[in-house]
């Protein structure tokens, strides 16, 4: 199950991987702590920082997101629209990640935790000898709000 992280937790995770918590990285991470459960692109983060009068440039945001993703502090996700989105990686490596419902009309992304694929993973291991360590599921469709509008 996902857990909540503080800036100190994230700082420790960064330092454990031999990296410093620079003011820019802290500012970028704070955006994610202030917007829990949201899937933010580099442009989203940059826009939020600009609203707060931050002087951090878009290139620094991109570099910070890539490093934090490479270090598995942030989870990088692709939803098929050519735009990478990120969220704090709160998953236990022994558990599955949550899955996503993606509205193809408005772009809204909704998470769901139900993991209905355990039986399938068992079948894969039994029949093919392949041990699944993890999986990600993305469902594309139309959200309730967009269905009401049509």
């Amino acid at each position: 199950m996902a857990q909540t992280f503080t800036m100190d937790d994230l700082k420790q995770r960064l330092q454990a991987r031999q990296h410093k918590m620079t003011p820019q990285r802290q500012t970028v991470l704070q955006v994610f702590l202030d917007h829990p459960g949201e899937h933010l692109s580099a442009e989203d983060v940059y826009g939020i920082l600009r609203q707060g009068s931050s002087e951090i440039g878009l290139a620094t945001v991109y570099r910070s997101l890539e490093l934090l993703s490479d270090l598995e502090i942030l989870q990088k996700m692709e939803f098929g629209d050519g735009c990478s989105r990120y969220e704090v990686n709160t998953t236990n490596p022994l558990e599955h990640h949550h899955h996503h419902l993606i509205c193809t009309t408005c772009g809204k992304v909704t998470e769901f935790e139900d993991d209905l694929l355990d039986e399938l993973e068992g079948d894969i291991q039994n029949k093919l000898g392949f041990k699944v360590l993890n999986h990600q599921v993305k469902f594309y469709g139309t959200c309730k709000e967009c269905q009401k509008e049509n």
Side-chain angles (χ1 to χ4, degrees):
M1 186 54 85
Q3 63 187 76
T4 304
F5 286 94
T6 65
M7 187 58 71
D8 287 339
D9 297 326
L10 297 173
K11 183 177 180 179
Q12 288 175 357
R13 290 171 72 177
L14 194 63
Q15 290 172 337
R17 291 164 177 86
Q18 313 304 309
H19 290 274
K20 293 180 181 177
M21 177 62 85
T22 64
Q24 294 86 353
R25 291 174 190 157
Q26 182 166 343
T27 300
V28 168
L29 280 172
Q30 190 62 51
V31 170
F32 289 92
L33 295 176
D34 292 344
H35 296 85
E38 292 186 36
H39 305 85
L40 302 173
S41 68
E43 290 79 9
D44 294 334
V45 172
Y46 179 69
I48 291 166
L49 293 174
R50 298 294 293 169
Q51 288 174 358
S53 301
S54 173
E55 296 297 317
I56 295 176
L58 184 58
T60 301
V61 171
Y62 271 105
R63 284 192 303 273
S64 296
L65 292 174
E66 284 302 313
L67 173 67
L68 296 168
S69 174
D70 289 346
L71 296 174
E72 297 180 346
I73 292 169
L74 294 179
Q75 183 180 7
K76 182 177 182 177
M77 294 162 286
E78 306 287 338
F79 295 130
D81 61 357
C83 180
S84 297
R85 290 185 179 76
Y86 302 83
E87 65 182 348
V88 174
N89 187 1
T90 60
T91 56
N92 178 334
L94 302 176
E95 297 176 2
H96 293 302
H97 294 283
H98 54 261
H99 304 302
H100 298 93
L101 307 173
I102 301 137
C103 179
T104 57
T105 303
C106 70
K108 178 178 157 186
V109 178
T110 306
E111 297 177 356
F112 70 98
E113 297 286 339
D114 291 344
D115 195 346
L116 307 174
L117 299 179
D118 288 335
E119 188 176 324
L120 177 59
E121 287 181 7
D123 279 351
I124 290 170
Q125 184 162 349
N126 291 336
K127 292 176 183 173
L128 303 173
F130 184 87
K131 180 164 179 52
V132 177
L133 299 176
N134 208 340
H135 62 264
Q136 290 187 1
V137 176
K138 300 171 191 163
F139 290 98
Y140 296 89
T142 309
C143 69
K144 285 190 239 181
E145 291 79 13
C146 290
Q147 288 177 50
K148 287 179 188 174
E149 292 176 11
N150 291 332

